[in-house]
Amino acid sequence: MNEMTVEAKLAVNKFFVDEENAHIEIDKDYPDKQEMLKLVKACPAGLYKFDKSGALTFDYAGCLECGTCRVLSKGKVIKKWNYPESSFGIEFRMG
Ligand code: SF4
């Protein structure tokens, strides 16, 4: 049987992005790189990345709303974490 990859399953999800209101905000200047690295490694959607200069980048548009980053770093790198407002956010297509 041909199993779908995680990437293929994620690719069929639909996102309704609230362009006016980021439901997650981060502190890009947080002084502890190890704290940032936790998010880079743990986010299942791969939304936290270091760019070529070593700065942390983040895009809330592909968020799976799993809460992992909130649990790991709320009050540190994560300045704000809320679920998206009603009618916004992810619509799962593959469970
Ligand atoms: S809630 Fe989950 S998917 Fe969304 S940014 Fe945080 S770790 Fe990534």
Side-chain angles (χ1 to χ4, degrees):
M1 187 171 148
N2 231 354
E3 296 273 332
M4 276 183 87
T5 63
V6 171
E7 290 75 15
K9 288 179 180 176
L10 289 175
V12 296
N13 289 329
K14 190 164 181 180
F15 296 91
F16 299 91
V17 179
D18 186 348
E19 305 283 355
E20 307 292 318
N21 178 32
H23 68 286
I24 299 172
E25 291 178 5
I26 67 168
D27 179 358
K28 291 182 178 178
D29 298 319
Y30 194 76
D32 184 348
K33 280 274 184 203
Q34 289 303 313
E35 194 63 34
M36 293 176 171
L37 184 59
K38 282 191 213 172
L39 302 176
V40 172
K41 288 183 172 179
C43 174
L47 302 180
Y48 296 89
K49 295 185 172 104
F50 288 122
D51 67 14
K52 286 180 182 160
S53 70
L56 185 67
T57 67
F58 172 67
D59 182 2
Y60 67 92
C63 179
L64 303 174
E65 301 170 29
C66 67
T68 302
C69 58
R70 180 186 61 172
V71 171
L72 285 176
S73 199
K74 181 99 193 310
K76 297 176 185 171
V77 179
I78 307 297
K79 292 197 303 187
K80 169 186 160 189
W81 198 105
N82 293 314
Y83 284 107
E85 296 290 325
S86 176
S87 81
F88 291 108
I90 188 167
E91 181 178 292
F92 290 102
R93 297 282 173 87
M94 293 296 294

